[in-house]
Amino acid sequence: MTSAAAAPYVMVSFSSRDAVKVDELLAELDAHGVSHFEYRRDIRLGQDILDTVREAIERSTHVVIYLSPASLDAPWVWLEVGMGFARDKRLVFVLDEALGSLPLPFDGLRHITGRGEYARFVRELASTGTSRMPDFPAGSVEEAARDKLYYYPGGWVRAIRLWGAEDVHFTEDRVRVEFDEAPMEIPPELAQAKERAIEKRKQRAEKTGQVFFDGPNVRLRGFRASPVDETSALEVPTLTLQLGPVGWYDYEGLNEAFRERYGDSPPLGVYEHYVKLDALIRDGDVSDGQLSNIIDNAVTVVTEDGHLLYGRRTRRVTYPDSLTCAVAENTNRYLDDTDPRTGLLINPHSVAADGLPGNALDGSYVPKG
């Protein structure tokens, strides 16, 4: 995490019949570096419009509505106003000169009546200390993905948001898992460096007494967040995870090999080659990446009286002696396998090697549930 300030993100809602007038409002946002969503630019052919609009509003800090005689009769405008209100976003109405006041029930909200007032609003938004977009190095991944990074009050996280925002979540009954047992392919040019990195980590673990072992883990090959047949009428999305096998040595070793070959800040072309950066930023598409991700479980224990349980990490793991409120562990294809009928664990939950089948140790185990 970096101690830069969070960025404003504006959802601009308007009728297509007002596009020429609204272009001037958008230009003002661009001139002051304020990120914003606008459907002609940000919704591509074949994309789910409703989901895209919902996600944009969830990300937004402000919803700016250009209110005119045309937008008063535009169902999409009022849908976006309702979404913003329901999510407690700041609604800012910009009134067309043909309108004298806001309609009920929004007549008590702040509204803007002229270009000068709107320009002051944008300057205020751009200059607010807690809302300024960080300055990322030109040509960096952060610069390329600036609109998809996760921001919080006072900072940002060096991670690309794949889908969702804030408290978007899926309950167990709306999560499906598909498993493809095809093994991960190692880029040939990184294979030797990967083996060297693993050998170094083994030696370091032996000297320091840390835990370092291979494991039959799981990687994300792709995902879908959309309604399925039985919920399509209600437009209730279901999360479908497309998973595949990965060993910890492959995951850890490939990352080390990549850093050894290209350093910590390789050019964008390298990321495009190995992780298809453009598709990752644009669509959250991880399917063609040659470097593996890994799926883990992260659990925070909360007491009945509302306290978080913290623990101090031991010397046997990474970042020893630091405090953490999360219990995290990589998903293990064998130890975390479940009965497809009941969802209960079906394999012996033991860290001892004796008694485990060979395919649980060599990484070839295919989960049943």
PDB file of all heavy atoms in Angstrom, residues 57 60 62-63 65 77-91 93 105-106 109:
ATOM      1  N   ILE A  57     -21.034   2.786 -10.888  1.00  0.00           N
ATOM      2  CA  ILE A  57     -21.631   3.549  -9.790  1.00  0.00           C
ATOM      3  C   ILE A  57     -21.077   3.079  -8.448  1.00  0.00           C
ATOM      4  O   ILE A  57     -20.845   3.877  -7.533  1.00  0.00           O
ATOM      5  CB  ILE A  57     -23.166   3.453  -9.850  1.00  0.00           C
ATOM      6  CG1 ILE A  57     -23.670   4.208 -11.087  1.00  0.00           C
ATOM      7  CG2 ILE A  57     -23.806   4.001  -8.579  1.00  0.00           C
ATOM      8  CD1 ILE A  57     -25.154   4.129 -11.311  1.00  0.00           C
ATOM      9  N   SER A  60     -17.848   4.799  -7.988  1.00  0.00           N
ATOM     10  CA  SER A  60     -17.844   6.252  -8.050  1.00  0.00           C
ATOM     11  C   SER A  60     -17.890   6.892  -6.674  1.00  0.00           C
ATOM     12  O   SER A  60     -18.383   6.322  -5.698  1.00  0.00           O
ATOM     13  CB  SER A  60     -19.043   6.735  -8.878  1.00  0.00           C
ATOM     14  OG  SER A  60     -20.255   6.451  -8.209  1.00  0.00           O
ATOM     15  N   HIS A  62     -18.883  10.334  -6.857  1.00  0.00           N
ATOM     16  CA  HIS A  62     -19.944  11.288  -7.190  1.00  0.00           C
ATOM     17  C   HIS A  62     -20.710  10.776  -8.403  1.00  0.00           C
ATOM     18  O   HIS A  62     -20.124  10.168  -9.298  1.00  0.00           O
ATOM     19  CB  HIS A  62     -19.373  12.671  -7.535  1.00  0.00           C
ATOM     20  CG  HIS A  62     -18.624  13.326  -6.417  1.00  0.00           C
ATOM     21  ND1 HIS A  62     -17.399  12.864  -5.972  1.00  0.00           N
ATOM     22  CD2 HIS A  62     -18.925  14.411  -5.655  1.00  0.00           C
ATOM     23  CE1 HIS A  62     -16.980  13.641  -4.975  1.00  0.00           C
ATOM     24  NE2 HIS A  62     -17.885  14.575  -4.776  1.00  0.00           N
ATOM     25  N   VAL A  63     -22.011  11.046  -8.437  1.00  0.00           N
ATOM     26  CA  VAL A  63     -22.816  10.827  -9.629  1.00  0.00           C
ATOM     27  C   VAL A  63     -23.286  12.201 -10.098  1.00  0.00           C
ATOM     28  O   VAL A  63     -24.056  12.878  -9.406  1.00  0.00           O
ATOM     29  CB  VAL A  63     -24.018   9.905  -9.364  1.00  0.00           C
ATOM     30  CG1 VAL A  63     -24.852   9.744 -10.644  1.00  0.00           C
ATOM     31  CG2 VAL A  63     -23.553   8.549  -8.860  1.00  0.00           C
ATOM     32  N   ILE A  65     -25.398  14.317 -12.669  1.00  0.00           N
ATOM     33  CA  ILE A  65     -26.550  14.105 -13.545  1.00  0.00           C
ATOM     34  C   ILE A  65     -26.831  15.397 -14.310  1.00  0.00           C
ATOM     35  O   ILE A  65     -27.080  16.451 -13.695  1.00  0.00           O
ATOM     36  CB  ILE A  65     -27.804  13.711 -12.736  1.00  0.00           C
ATOM     37  CG1 ILE A  65     -27.508  12.511 -11.830  1.00  0.00           C
ATOM     38  CG2 ILE A  65     -28.969  13.406 -13.668  1.00  0.00           C
ATOM     39  CD1 ILE A  65     -27.240  12.888 -10.387  1.00  0.00           C
ATOM     40  N   VAL A  77     -31.324   7.364 -17.097  1.00  0.00           N
ATOM     41  CA  VAL A  77     -30.866   8.413 -16.186  1.00  0.00           C
ATOM     42  C   VAL A  77     -31.439   8.192 -14.792  1.00  0.00           C
ATOM     43  O   VAL A  77     -30.720   8.228 -13.782  1.00  0.00           O
ATOM     44  CB  VAL A  77     -31.247   9.808 -16.721  1.00  0.00           C
ATOM     45  CG1 VAL A  77     -31.002  10.885 -15.653  1.00  0.00           C
ATOM     46  CG2 VAL A  77     -30.454  10.130 -17.977  1.00  0.00           C
ATOM     47  N   TRP A  78     -32.733   7.900 -14.717  1.00  0.00           N
ATOM     48  CA  TRP A  78     -33.345   7.733 -13.396  1.00  0.00           C
ATOM     49  C   TRP A  78     -32.934   6.414 -12.742  1.00  0.00           C
ATOM     50  O   TRP A  78     -32.870   6.324 -11.510  1.00  0.00           O
ATOM     51  CB  TRP A  78     -34.864   7.847 -13.510  1.00  0.00           C
ATOM     52  CG  TRP A  78     -35.237   9.261 -13.841  1.00  0.00           C
ATOM     53  CD1 TRP A  78     -35.746   9.730 -15.014  1.00  0.00           C
ATOM     54  CD2 TRP A  78     -35.043  10.399 -13.000  1.00  0.00           C
ATOM     55  NE1 TRP A  78     -35.898  11.087 -14.955  1.00  0.00           N
ATOM     56  CE2 TRP A  78     -35.483  11.532 -13.731  1.00  0.00           C
ATOM     57  CE3 TRP A  78     -34.557  10.580 -11.720  1.00  0.00           C
ATOM     58  CZ2 TRP A  78     -35.427  12.820 -13.214  1.00  0.00           C
ATOM     59  CZ3 TRP A  78     -34.514  11.861 -11.187  1.00  0.00           C
ATOM     60  CH2 TRP A  78     -34.941  12.961 -11.936  1.00  0.00           C
ATOM     61  N   LEU A  79     -32.633   5.402 -13.553  1.00  0.00           N
ATOM     62  CA  LEU A  79     -32.073   4.175 -12.981  1.00  0.00           C
ATOM     63  C   LEU A  79     -30.729   4.470 -12.324  1.00  0.00           C
ATOM     64  O   LEU A  79     -30.451   4.025 -11.196  1.00  0.00           O
ATOM     65  CB  LEU A  79     -31.913   3.116 -14.068  1.00  0.00           C
ATOM     66  CG  LEU A  79     -31.225   1.815 -13.627  1.00  0.00           C
ATOM     67  CD1 LEU A  79     -32.075   1.072 -12.602  1.00  0.00           C
ATOM     68  CD2 LEU A  79     -30.942   0.929 -14.837  1.00  0.00           C
ATOM     69  N   GLU A  80     -29.883   5.239 -13.004  1.00  0.00           N
ATOM     70  CA  GLU A  80     -28.557   5.568 -12.458  1.00  0.00           C
ATOM     71  C   GLU A  80     -28.666   6.472 -11.243  1.00  0.00           C
ATOM     72  O   GLU A  80     -27.897   6.327 -10.276  1.00  0.00           O
ATOM     73  CB  GLU A  80     -27.719   6.220 -13.566  1.00  0.00           C
ATOM     74  CG  GLU A  80     -27.339   5.233 -14.663  1.00  0.00           C
ATOM     75  CD  GLU A  80     -26.944   5.889 -15.970  1.00  0.00           C
ATOM     76  OE1 GLU A  80     -26.929   7.139 -16.038  1.00  0.00           O
ATOM     77  OE2 GLU A  80     -26.669   5.149 -16.930  1.00  0.00           O
ATOM     78  N   VAL A  81     -29.623   7.389 -11.244  1.00  0.00           N
ATOM     79  CA  VAL A  81     -29.857   8.218 -10.051  1.00  0.00           C
ATOM     80  C   VAL A  81     -30.260   7.338  -8.873  1.00  0.00           C
ATOM     81  O   VAL A  81     -29.761   7.491  -7.746  1.00  0.00           O
ATOM     82  CB  VAL A  81     -30.930   9.283 -10.336  1.00  0.00           C
ATOM     83  CG1 VAL A  81     -31.341   9.980  -9.034  1.00  0.00           C
ATOM     84  CG2 VAL A  81     -30.424  10.311 -11.334  1.00  0.00           C
ATOM     85  N   GLY A  82     -31.152   6.382  -9.125  1.00  0.00           N
ATOM     86  CA  GLY A  82     -31.597   5.483  -8.051  1.00  0.00           C
ATOM     87  C   GLY A  82     -30.473   4.621  -7.515  1.00  0.00           C
ATOM     88  O   GLY A  82     -30.352   4.424  -6.301  1.00  0.00           O
ATOM     89  N   MET A  83     -29.640   4.090  -8.436  1.00  0.00           N
ATOM     90  CA  MET A  83     -28.495   3.287  -7.989  1.00  0.00           C
ATOM     91  C   MET A  83     -27.554   4.128  -7.120  1.00  0.00           C
ATOM     92  O   MET A  83     -27.079   3.673  -6.071  1.00  0.00           O
ATOM     93  CB  MET A  83     -27.726   2.754  -9.201  1.00  0.00           C
ATOM     94  CG  MET A  83     -28.397   1.620  -9.947  1.00  0.00           C
ATOM     95  SD  MET A  83     -27.330   1.087 -11.328  1.00  0.00           S
ATOM     96  CE  MET A  83     -28.267  -0.322 -11.924  1.00  0.00           C
ATOM     97  N   GLY A  84     -27.277   5.351  -7.558  1.00  0.00           N
ATOM     98  CA  GLY A  84     -26.381   6.209  -6.783  1.00  0.00           C
ATOM     99  C   GLY A  84     -26.948   6.551  -5.425  1.00  0.00           C
ATOM    100  O   GLY A  84     -26.236   6.529  -4.412  1.00  0.00           O
ATOM    101  N   PHE A  85     -28.244   6.859  -5.374  1.00  0.00           N
ATOM    102  CA  PHE A  85     -28.881   7.182  -4.099  1.00  0.00           C
ATOM    103  C   PHE A  85     -28.845   5.977  -3.162  1.00  0.00           C
ATOM    104  O   PHE A  85     -28.545   6.105  -1.965  1.00  0.00           O
ATOM    105  CB  PHE A  85     -30.324   7.638  -4.345  1.00  0.00           C
ATOM    106  CG  PHE A  85     -31.074   7.986  -3.095  1.00  0.00           C
ATOM    107  CD1 PHE A  85     -30.881   9.208  -2.467  1.00  0.00           C
ATOM    108  CD2 PHE A  85     -31.964   7.090  -2.526  1.00  0.00           C
ATOM    109  CE1 PHE A  85     -31.565   9.523  -1.303  1.00  0.00           C
ATOM    110  CE2 PHE A  85     -32.653   7.388  -1.372  1.00  0.00           C
ATOM    111  CZ  PHE A  85     -32.456   8.622  -0.757  1.00  0.00           C
ATOM    112  N   ALA A  86     -29.149   4.781  -3.710  1.00  0.00           N
ATOM    113  CA  ALA A  86     -29.183   3.575  -2.886  1.00  0.00           C
ATOM    114  C   ALA A  86     -27.817   3.246  -2.311  1.00  0.00           C
ATOM    115  O   ALA A  86     -27.717   2.658  -1.228  1.00  0.00           O
ATOM    116  CB  ALA A  86     -29.710   2.397  -3.703  1.00  0.00           C
ATOM    117  N   ARG A  87     -26.758   3.618  -3.028  1.00  0.00           N
ATOM    118  CA  ARG A  87     -25.393   3.325  -2.574  1.00  0.00           C
ATOM    119  C   ARG A  87     -24.765   4.504  -1.841  1.00  0.00           C
ATOM    120  O   ARG A  87     -23.563   4.524  -1.616  1.00  0.00           O
ATOM    121  CB  ARG A  87     -24.534   2.896  -3.765  1.00  0.00           C
ATOM    122  CG  ARG A  87     -24.888   1.496  -4.240  1.00  0.00           C
ATOM    123  CD  ARG A  87     -24.387   1.248  -5.650  1.00  0.00           C
ATOM    124  NE  ARG A  87     -24.605  -0.146  -6.044  1.00  0.00           N
ATOM    125  CZ  ARG A  87     -25.785  -0.633  -6.421  1.00  0.00           C
ATOM    126  NH1 ARG A  87     -26.855   0.164  -6.454  1.00  0.00           N
ATOM    127  NH2 ARG A  87     -25.914  -1.906  -6.762  1.00  0.00           N
ATOM    128  N   ASP A  88     -25.570   5.495  -1.502  1.00  0.00           N
ATOM    129  CA  ASP A  88     -25.132   6.645  -0.712  1.00  0.00           C
ATOM    130  C   ASP A  88     -24.011   7.414  -1.407  1.00  0.00           C
ATOM    131  O   ASP A  88     -23.090   7.915  -0.771  1.00  0.00           O
ATOM    132  CB  ASP A  88     -24.680   6.191   0.685  1.00  0.00           C
ATOM    133  CG  ASP A  88     -24.691   7.334   1.689  1.00  0.00           C
ATOM    134  OD1 ASP A  88     -25.483   8.275   1.501  1.00  0.00           O
ATOM    135  OD2 ASP A  88     -23.894   7.294   2.653  1.00  0.00           O
ATOM    136  N   LYS A  89     -24.082   7.499  -2.745  1.00  0.00           N
ATOM    137  CA  LYS A  89     -23.128   8.307  -3.485  1.00  0.00           C
ATOM    138  C   LYS A  89     -23.576   9.770  -3.463  1.00  0.00           C
ATOM    139  O   LYS A  89     -24.754  10.085  -3.319  1.00  0.00           O
ATOM    140  CB  LYS A  89     -23.020   7.827  -4.933  1.00  0.00           C
ATOM    141  CG  LYS A  89     -22.651   6.357  -5.060  1.00  0.00           C
ATOM    142  CD  LYS A  89     -21.294   6.049  -4.454  1.00  0.00           C
ATOM    143  CE  LYS A  89     -20.942   4.575  -4.602  1.00  0.00           C
ATOM    144  NZ  LYS A  89     -19.629   4.246  -4.028  1.00  0.00           N
ATOM    145  N   ARG A  90     -22.630  10.671  -3.632  1.00  0.00           N
ATOM    146  CA  ARG A  90     -22.978  12.082  -3.651  1.00  0.00           C
ATOM    147  C   ARG A  90     -23.581  12.418  -5.010  1.00  0.00           C
ATOM    148  O   ARG A  90     -22.925  12.286  -6.044  1.00  0.00           O
ATOM    149  CB  ARG A  90     -21.743  12.943  -3.397  1.00  0.00           C
ATOM    150  CG  ARG A  90     -22.060  14.426  -3.307  1.00  0.00           C
ATOM    151  CD  ARG A  90     -20.825  15.222  -3.010  1.00  0.00           C
ATOM    152  NE  ARG A  90     -21.109  16.645  -3.044  1.00  0.00           N
ATOM    153  CZ  ARG A  90     -20.183  17.597  -2.973  1.00  0.00           C
ATOM    154  NH1 ARG A  90     -18.908  17.245  -2.865  1.00  0.00           N
ATOM    155  NH2 ARG A  90     -20.510  18.862  -3.024  1.00  0.00           N
ATOM    156  N   LEU A  91     -24.842  12.857  -5.028  1.00  0.00           N
ATOM    157  CA  LEU A  91     -25.537  13.210  -6.259  1.00  0.00           C
ATOM    158  C   LEU A  91     -25.384  14.703  -6.521  1.00  0.00           C
ATOM    159  O   LEU A  91     -25.672  15.526  -5.641  1.00  0.00           O
ATOM    160  CB  LEU A  91     -27.023  12.858  -6.155  1.00  0.00           C
ATOM    161  CG  LEU A  91     -27.380  11.404  -5.827  1.00  0.00           C
ATOM    162  CD1 LEU A  91     -28.895  11.230  -5.787  1.00  0.00           C
ATOM    163  CD2 LEU A  91     -26.756  10.448  -6.828  1.00  0.00           C
ATOM    164  N   PHE A  93     -26.562  17.455  -9.357  1.00  0.00           N
ATOM    165  CA  PHE A  93     -27.371  17.733 -10.536  1.00  0.00           C
ATOM    166  C   PHE A  93     -26.857  18.992 -11.228  1.00  0.00           C
ATOM    167  O   PHE A  93     -26.641  20.029 -10.580  1.00  0.00           O
ATOM    168  CB  PHE A  93     -28.836  17.919 -10.160  1.00  0.00           C
ATOM    169  CG  PHE A  93     -29.524  16.654  -9.746  1.00  0.00           C
ATOM    170  CD1 PHE A  93     -29.504  16.231  -8.420  1.00  0.00           C
ATOM    171  CD2 PHE A  93     -30.177  15.877 -10.678  1.00  0.00           C
ATOM    172  CE1 PHE A  93     -30.141  15.071  -8.032  1.00  0.00           C
ATOM    173  CE2 PHE A  93     -30.819  14.704 -10.302  1.00  0.00           C
ATOM    174  CZ  PHE A  93     -30.793  14.295  -8.983  1.00  0.00           C
ATOM    175  N   PRO A 105     -38.245  14.037  -5.738  1.00  0.00           N
ATOM    176  CA  PRO A 105     -37.971  14.420  -4.345  1.00  0.00           C
ATOM    177  C   PRO A 105     -36.556  14.952  -4.150  1.00  0.00           C
ATOM    178  O   PRO A 105     -36.018  14.942  -3.046  1.00  0.00           O
ATOM    179  CB  PRO A 105     -38.126  13.080  -3.616  1.00  0.00           C
ATOM    180  CG  PRO A 105     -37.597  12.081  -4.611  1.00  0.00           C
ATOM    181  CD  PRO A 105     -37.985  12.593  -5.970  1.00  0.00           C
ATOM    182  N   PHE A 106     -35.919  15.431  -5.220  1.00  0.00           N
ATOM    183  CA  PHE A 106     -34.512  15.843  -5.138  1.00  0.00           C
ATOM    184  C   PHE A 106     -34.355  17.356  -5.043  1.00  0.00           C
ATOM    185  O   PHE A 106     -33.243  17.870  -5.180  1.00  0.00           O
ATOM    186  CB  PHE A 106     -33.760  15.330  -6.369  1.00  0.00           C
ATOM    187  CG  PHE A 106     -33.777  13.834  -6.511  1.00  0.00           C
ATOM    188  CD1 PHE A 106     -34.567  13.234  -7.470  1.00  0.00           C
ATOM    189  CD2 PHE A 106     -33.029  13.034  -5.666  1.00  0.00           C
ATOM    190  CE1 PHE A 106     -34.604  11.854  -7.591  1.00  0.00           C
ATOM    191  CE2 PHE A 106     -33.057  11.660  -5.776  1.00  0.00           C
ATOM    192  CZ  PHE A 106     -33.851  11.059  -6.747  1.00  0.00           C
ATOM    193  N   LEU A 109     -31.491  18.888  -2.856  1.00  0.00           N
ATOM    194  CA  LEU A 109     -30.094  18.536  -3.040  1.00  0.00           C
ATOM    195  C   LEU A 109     -29.334  19.656  -3.743  1.00  0.00           C
ATOM    196  O   LEU A 109     -29.908  20.512  -4.424  1.00  0.00           O
ATOM    197  CB  LEU A 109     -29.969  17.250  -3.859  1.00  0.00           C
ATOM    198  CG  LEU A 109     -30.539  15.985  -3.225  1.00  0.00           C
ATOM    199  CD1 LEU A 109     -30.326  14.792  -4.144  1.00  0.00           C
ATOM    200  CD2 LEU A 109     -29.915  15.716  -1.864  1.00  0.00           C
TER     201      LEU A 109
END
